[in-house]
Amino acid sequence: MKATIFFPLVLVALSVSGSLQAANLFAGQDRAANVCAQCHGIHKPAAGAPFPSLAGRDAAYLKEALKQYRSKKRVSEIMNAIAGSLRDNDIDDLVAYYSKLKP
Amino acid sequence: MKIIKKTINQTILSSAISLLLTASNLYAADHEAKDTQKAHEGVNAHKLFEENCASCHGSDHGGFIAPALNAATLKGRSPTALRTIIMTGSFDTLMPPFYGKLSDTEIRALVQHLQTTPKLPNPAWTINDMKASLKIYADESKLPTKPTYQLGSLDDLIGVAARGKYGRGEGSKAVFINSKTHQKIGEIKTGTAAHIIDYNPVNQRWAYIKTDTAEIFKVDLYTMQAVRSIKTGYNGPGLGVSRDGKYIMAGSFVPHNAVILDANTLEPLKTFELEGVDPDGKMVSSDSGMIIGTPFADIFAIALENAGQVWVVDLKGDFPVTKITDVGRHLHDAFLTHKGRKLMIAAYDDSKVTAIDLQERKIIKKLDAGCVPHLGGGAAVKVDGRTLGFGTNFGSCDKTVVSVWDLDKMEVVKQIPVLGGTESPAAHANAPYVAVDIISKDRRARAVQLIDKKTLEVVKTLDVGGHAYFPEYSADGKFLYISAGYSGDEVVVYDSVSLKKVASIPMESPAGIFSHGRVKYMTRGLLPDEMVK
């Protein structure tokens, strides 16, 4: 039984396909909450956790970092695996969300 | 907190993991299975497990708030997949990522250790171990005589068990909030995750915090500091305070015992071995379920989960016990009604809630209760002359419902369909809705649903975020507090009538929320006079 229909957020996330130009904050928020927050947290990582903070960071830097992880130019076992499945617009959404967030 | 000693749901976990595995073949090499042994020399995997994992998975490897990890439960599982789970954690659950916290060698050693270690026998934790663990942090005679902060009534305090991502360390604390201004007043570091917060019903300055690893802290709310602590076992959530504020009773999963403490000094007075004949006629040693002090009498009631018994302990002499047997299979938590004379207790495996008369000390009736009832402290409301009890339950059925019982007639009034499994209801005499947290393992976990007290229909679904659970009203009923737990990392506050979000309080992995007002209204949703004799 799937109850996703109850959440407008999901519909937004699903409707974002490769054709959209502008970054989608809600899609970014959704993916950040479901995946990235596990390590990076939303506003900050957990106390004593060895992960860099993402909230409020420079958008261009975050974007470049994710693209480099995706192409394995920047090497990190974990981040190469995670960024490997991100499409360009996923990266845009995530970067838009995290860079605008107050740490 | 949902206790998952027996049930392991692997769907979400395995999909998150396979996502990682297919995203990269870095993890794919299974060669490590062969040449593990020599690589791990010098790593003390047992110690690593005790220090990083046992508070959630059980120091006996038998599971607690996380699944059992031992040779039997992990038989045939791919070491690579297990390594990946430990590195990345399991998304949307309490399982944190240990990448960077533990080295690759340590993680490999842990996997091997877990796959070769059987569930350990119940370790002992005697009254002498407890006595030796008593710690004193402050000279209570020198404490100020009133709060060091401005607050109309201490009942306006709300305590939140902020677990911390890793269930231990810097992130683990109990946070106290002014529920009128939604500002933090103080926090108490608890070492391992705070699990339960209870308040002294007579002397309002004292609170008691029980952690995942069964330490109990006595907390001075006036100065927001821990004054004493004692370790009562290895784990187990059971904690109650007697109506006269003189005694605390705590019970453990590991080992199978319970203890009565002096609420003032935390000194242990008497321990109880939990064992008995279960409803199927077998003699079993038992986990401790809920423990409750009642405004009705100088007693504690304690549930023996596996033995299916409720023991009533009189707070006099040598603390004699009356045993009520055959209450139900796998008992868990409970709530009080009828001025504390009647106890409604959940039986997971029977999908029933059993009503017990604490005066007669016998079973009144077993009521239908949805699948795997988890009462989460319970809720009861008075509407149109009836007293209605609300029962949450977290089993996965085709039809997920919240049960409503008429507590005078002891019969089912309605089973209200809700989005998914539920764990904890909140109600307040002044608030129009009963809130229930949806905890099904998918996006539904973000939701809290509101049931109208009069129509008994779901009228609204809040998209709280994170894993939304443990709703709790402020003592005046004006605000609804909800933990957006797991990675949500905030407590969200709603206006209890308009249901508009009014505040967010950042916090690492918040879980249980406990209003100081609870000392006044016995069961959430009832008026304070409900407990006056």
Side-chain angles (χ1 to χ4, degrees), chain B residues 351-353 367-373 391-393 401 403 405 412 415:
Chain B
S351 288
K352 296 271 184 194
V353 163
L367 300 169
D368 280 343
C371 49
V372 196
T392 43
N393 52 97
V401 293
S403 307
W405 308 287
V412 178
Q415 295 203 304

Side-chain angles (χ1 to χ4, degrees), chain B residues 264-315:
Chain B
N264 193 32
T265 61
L266 298 189
E267 274 158 33
L269 303 173
K270 182 176 180 183
T271 55
F272 302 80
E273 286 305 312
L274 304 180
E275 55 182 21
V277 177
D278 73 11
D280 299 310
K282 260 205 353 241
M283 182 71 185
V284 293
S285 172
S286 181
D287 292 348
S288 159
M290 71 86 216
I291 296 178
I292 204 161
T294 166
F296 171 70
D298 293 315
I299 55 173
F300 279 120
I302 169 173
L304 276 66
E305 297 215 337
N306 318 76
Q309 303 189 359
V310 170
W311 291 2
V312 180
V313 183
D314 283 291
L315 296 174

Side-chain angles (χ1 to χ4, degrees), chain B residues 126-148:
Chain B
T126 65
I127 196 161
N128 289 329
D129 294 319
M130 294 179 201
K131 281 183 181 153
S133 74
L134 186 69
K135 292 197 187 88
I136 297 172
Y137 307 109
D139 180 351
E140 291 175 34
S141 67
K142 299 220 169 74
L143 296 173
T145 53
K146 54 182 201 311
T148 53

Side-chain angles (χ1 to χ4, degrees), chain B residues 30 34 56 60 123-124 224 285 293 319 391 459:
Chain B
D30 233 305
K34 287 153 208 135
C56 292
D60 62 346
M224 288 290 162
S285 172
F319 304 114
V459 290

Side-chain angles (χ1 to χ4, degrees), chain B residues 85-97:
Chain B
I85 300 168
I86 299 169
M87 265 197 289
T88 63
S90 172
F91 300 155
D92 290 325
T93 76
L94 286 176
M95 173 67 194

